[in-house]
Amino acid sequence: MRPDYVDFHAHLDLYPDLEQAIATCDHKRVATLAVTTTPKAFERNIELSAKSDYVRAGLGLHPQLVADRYLEIDLFESLLARTRYIGEVGLDRGPAHYRSFDLQKEVFGRILRACAKQGNKILSIHSVRAAKPVLDMLDEHLPPDRGDVVLHWFSGSKADVRRAVDRGCYFSVNEGMLVSTTGSRVMREIPIDRVLTETDGPFLARGGKPLEPGDVGRAVEMIASFVELPVEAVRTKILSNLKRLLQNDKAEP
């Protein structure tokens, strides 16, 4: 059945009950990418989402965990053929993770090369204080005809946004991003036909409580305000963007 909303970056397995979180997305008819932070978490996510009409599991190795989990890159590569969806992966050059940055680049490079080799992957990418290095590595290791990229909670410069748009990237946007000065500036640079919504739940909160899975209605309203279009038109456009992304088949002929 056609979804009503899109949540293209949610950590469903970090809610108290993964099975219930998936059921919530199904009940709300929200097309959801359930990202994982380590390859070892992937098995349970893909098993429990297998019967869902709306939830798909992503294979991830979060850059903030690379310092401790980098050896799981071998497991990541062995699981890669089981899903089209990759996330959460990327780079984080924030103060808490700067020491592992070279190791993060090594792991991220392996992920991108493996995805390019298999082709037809959709990647949800983290890029905290690392927009340019992420884009540089995409240019080096993942040709646009070998995979699609969705930049999660992007905070790069105006030039970074333009560069990402030119290479065909999409952007997943949440309400926390849109209330920040940087996020507002980025949102003004993104073409509406490259926008998807996300919760980043349960990390993002409203009123002191984590957003529920699939709770993207407020983000849709905020985007509509930015682009000066009716809320329903923006909701429909985001669904159209997701459909175009999913139909952009880059498998081998």
Side-chain angles (χ1 to χ4, degrees), residues 67-86:
D68 296 322
R69 300 291 194 108
Y70 68 95
L71 291 177
E72 290 187 37
I73 185 59
D74 293 332
L75 177 60
F76 182 103
E77 291 172 336
S78 73
L79 294 170
L80 186 59
R82 296 184 59 187
T83 182
R84 186 183 182 191
Y85 302 94
I86 310 303

Side-chain angles (χ1 to χ4, degrees), residues 40-171:
K40 289 184 178 178
F42 174 73
E43 192 74 51
R44 184 164 180 264
N45 277 261
I46 200 166
E47 177 185 349
L48 291 181
S49 63
K51 295 181 180 179
S52 170
D53 290 328
Y54 298 102
V55 178
R56 300 293 179 266
L59 172 63
L61 182 47
H62 200 295
Q64 293 179 353
L65 300 181
V66 162
D68 296 322
R69 300 291 194 108
Y70 68 95
L71 291 177
E72 290 187 37
I73 185 59
D74 293 332
L75 177 60
F76 182 103
E77 291 172 336
S78 73
L79 294 170
L80 186 59
R82 296 184 59 187
T83 182
R84 186 183 182 191
Y85 302 94
I86 310 303
E88 183 170 358
V89 298
L91 299 175
D92 191 312
R93 198 159 53 175
H97 307 287
Y98 186 80
R99 288 185 178 182
S100 68
F101 194 65
D102 287 341
L103 186 57
Q104 291 178 43
K105 289 195 291 185
E106 180 182 336
V107 168
F108 188 45
R110 282 184 63 174
I111 289 170
L112 294 178
R113 289 190 294 274
C115 289
K117 183 176 180 180
Q118 289 195 13
N120 204 34
K121 303 299 185 185
I122 299 174
L123 293 81
S124 180
I125 296 182
H126 175 114
S127 57
V128 170
R129 298 193 182 186
K132 184 179 184 300
V134 162
L135 293 171
D136 287 346
M137 292 190 70
L138 288 171
D139 286 347
E140 182 177 1
H141 300 297
L142 186 69
D145 64 348
R146 298 302 299 160
D148 286 294
V149 170
V150 181
L151 295 167
H152 150 65
W153 201 328
F154 194 66
S155 58
S157 68
K158 185 175 181 179
D160 293 329
V161 175
R162 189 182 310 114
R163 181 180 173 190
V165 169
D166 287 346
R167 91 174 313 273
C169 296
Y170 290 72
F171 300 79

Side-chain angles (χ1 to χ4, degrees), residues 170-238:
Y170 290 72
F171 300 79
S172 56
V173 174
N174 61 60
E175 61 185 77
M177 172 181 171
L178 295 175
V179 297
S180 71
T181 301
T182 298
S184 298
R185 185 257 306 154
V186 169
M187 184 64 223
R188 292 188 180 94
E189 302 298 327
I190 304 172
I192 188 60
D193 64 355
R194 300 291 183 83
V195 175
L196 301 171
T197 40
E198 63 164 60
T199 59
D200 201 21
F203 294 111
L204 196 61
R206 186 194 306 129
K209 296 182 178 180
L211 294 185
E212 290 188 358
D215 186 3
V216 295
R218 177 60 181 149
V220 174
E221 294 172 359
M222 295 172 75
I223 293 166
S225 178
F226 271 97
V227 300
E228 300 181 339
L229 288 172
V231 172
E232 181 61 18
V234 170
R235 185 188 72 85
T236 302
K237 183 61 178 174
I238 289 169

